[in-house]
Amino acid sequence: CDASGTRCHCAVEALDAAATYSFRVLAGGAGGWSEPSEMVSQTMPPGGSSLNAGAIAATVMAIIAALALFCAAVFFYQRRQPPPPPPPAFKPMHDQQAMLRSPY
């Protein structure tokens, strides 16, 4: 709370949506404390996000990291598979060299 002069301003943050909160106020000074005020209740409007900006950023980063891991797993899985066979018209080099050295 900010108590400058005879006025006091107090802000309560991070309240849950659709929840009811009750407040009572006391005034204090050189003469001591006053009697508590009457209780005032306020219900917060529904909706909105109960997550703060840091929690939202952490969630987005976790999703991006999970997608990156999934893509890496698919990439490495694809690299494990043997390459496809060569086309039928292709003859490997070692067969051609063997044919050149053949006495027949």
Side-chain angles (χ1 to χ4, degrees):
C1 290
D2 176 25
S4 56
T6 59
R7 302 192 106 172
C8 180
H9 171 75
C10 187
V12 180
E13 298 177 355
L15 301 176
D16 294 329
T20 302
Y21 295 92
S22 300
F23 297 94
R24 221 174 246 200
V25 179
L26 294 143
W33 289 96
S34 69
E35 292 295 319
S37 68
E38 291 186 34
M39 188 176 297
V40 176
S41 295
Q42 176 68 45
T43 301
M44 301 305 295
S49 174
S50 61
L51 297 176
N52 60 20
I56 292 171
T59 303
V60 169
M61 293 302 289
I63 291 171
I64 291 172
L67 286 173
L69 285 173
F70 177 76
C71 290
V74 169
F75 174 76
F76 286 116
Y77 177 75
Q78 290 293 329
R79 288 191 57 163
R80 281 188 48 209
Q81 294 179 352
F90 178 77
K91 293 188 179 192
M93 182 62 99
H94 68 284
D95 287 349
Q96 290 176 354
Q97 289 175 353
M99 288 167 72
L100 293 175
R101 288 187 212 154
S102 175
Y104 299 109

